[in-house]
Amino acid sequence: MDALTQIERSYAVAEQVGPLVRRVLARNPSPFTYTGTQTYIVGAGRDVAVIDPGPNEAEHLDALVEAIGDATLAAILCTHTHRDHSPAAGPLAARTDAPVIGCAPLTLEDDGPRADAAFDPDYRPHRVLEDGEIVSGDGWTLAAVATPGHTSNHLCFALPETGALFTGDHVMGWSTSVVSPPDGDMTAYMASLAKLYAREQDTVYFPAHGPAVEKPRQLVRGMIGHRRSREKQILRQIEAGRHGIADMVPHMYKGVDQRLWPAAGRSVLAHLIDLEKRGVVAHSEDRWLLSA
Ligand SMILES: [Zn+2]
């Protein structure tokens, strides 16, 4: 069986991926979602929790309801409100009577929503978790770990019973996270990476996309290094006379699928904003210059 067939067979079925943790893969593969969104079901007793219910698609919802079976669904948790994560929350709540508990809806500002088309405007939580707050059930506890950066409302969820951390889109093994301003914030993202690096109690990460990460702190340390080298690369682009993001991206992301270049440009912008806050660069219009 080749890898693609294997993935095809994984849609819409619950698979045990660790103690207390099952996974249902949604059929929404793309360059941004890898094989699709992974919804996790936590708990093996009277009640369970669902993390990142995913896109609102009948096949996926049916698979979740079947996997929950006779257990009570105690909570529907969302790491953040991108369209591949939270739209099934409302429909799943309607089918199961479970409360939606988790990240905040995105903040609206005077000039409109901070977020772009990737954001789910219909997300309505019954309860918002702050950093460190917990939801618990029969044999499981989930603690919110606030990790803004990919989005301003992003939460990871720790399962102390097993040492698992559900990382949403904050840290994934298959790809770096997209950080797209204005809601995406590189300064916050780097602080959230440092926060995870300090958590020695987490022994496995379950991201929303891609395989589980077995040596998570090693990966996080590598990601911090990767972002630092991107930053240096951007400074070299400016030194080489490329002052606009559109001029920098083809040089910086030569080997990368060109469909991802617009997102890469957003990440470069996020780095430039972070560098500007630190006084390293300045800009006028879309020309970026090194600060004197
Ligand atoms: Zn996302």
Side-chain angles (χ1 to χ4, degrees):
M1 187 161 54
D2 65 22
L4 276 177
T5 316
Q6 233 160 33
I7 290 160
E8 184 59 29
R9 287 195 181 179
S10 305
Y11 291 122
V13 288
E15 291 170 289
Q16 194 80 36
V17 291
L20 296 180
V21 182
R22 287 175 293 158
R23 172 196 92 138
V24 180
L25 178 63
R27 199 185 296 272
N28 61 339
S30 80
F32 292 98
T33 61
Y34 196 49
T35 54
T37 302
Q38 300 175 116
T39 299
Y40 293 102
I41 301 173
V42 178
R46 287 188 310 277
D47 58 19
V48 297
V50 160
I51 298 176
D52 280 345
N56 182 12
E57 282 164 13
E59 176 195 54
H60 188 60
L61 274 165
D62 289 347
L64 292 177
V65 168
E66 192 186 319
I68 293 162
D70 293 333
T72 301
L73 181 55
I76 301 166
L77 299 114
C78 296
T79 59
H80 65 297
T81 48
H82 275 155
R83 284 180 183 280
D84 53 326
H85 292 259
S86 57
L92 186 61
R95 280 176 70 165
T96 58
D97 275 336
V100 178
I101 301 175
C103 70
L106 274 193
T107 330
L108 303 184
E109 293 184 338
D110 291 344
D111 55 353
R114 282 166 65 100
D116 51 21
F119 137 86
D120 166 18
D122 300 322
Y123 173 73
R124 300 277 182 282
H126 299 97
R127 182 184 153 204
V128 169
L129 290 181
E130 305 290 337
D131 186 45
E133 286 193 314
I134 63 166
V135 181
S136 56
D138 182 12
W140 54 267
T141 312
L142 288 166
V145 182
T147 41
H150 172 68
T151 59
S152 58
N153 62 354
H154 197 288
L155 299 177
C156 294
F157 298 106
L159 176 63
E161 285 84 356
T162 71
L165 185 75
F166 299 90
T167 53
D169 284 0
H170 178 51
V171 172
M172 302 176 282
W174 75 285
S175 162
T176 56
S177 184
V178 173
V179 178
S180 179
D183 193 54
D185 181 321
M186 190 61 74
T187 315
Y189 183 74
M190 293 302 287
S192 294
L193 283 182
K195 182 174 187 173
L196 290 203
Y197 186 68
R199 291 177 53 92
E200 294 182 29
Q201 66 269 50
D202 303 327
T203 54
V204 60
Y205 287 177
F206 290 111
H209 312 281
V213 177
E214 300 288 350
K215 292 212 168 99
R217 292 179 72 239
Q218 204 169 303
L219 179 71
V220 170
R221 192 177 52 197
M223 285 184 161
I224 293 170
H226 170 79
R227 297 288 178 172
R228 290 287 169 237
S229 62
R230 277 273 182 249
E231 192 180 285
K232 289 200 192 94
Q233 217 183 348
I234 291 167
L235 296 176
R236 282 200 301 272
Q237 296 297 315
I238 298 175
E239 282 162 4
R242 289 186 277 273
H243 298 283
I245 291 169
D247 302 324
M248 299 179 195
V249 167
H251 289 270
M252 294 178 58
Y253 294 85
K254 262 184 218 128
V256 171
D257 184 339
Q258 292 200 15
R259 288 176 295 177
L260 297 176
W261 282 9
R266 304 303 297 169
S267 268
V268 172
L269 175 61
H271 274 295
L272 286 164
I273 293 170
D274 178 43
L275 286 163
E276 186 169 46
K277 276 192 244 173
R278 289 151 50 200
V280 182
V281 303
H283 79 287
S284 67
E285 308 278 299
D286 52 8
R287 273 179 66 79
W288 294 84
L289 299 162
L290 299 180
S291 293

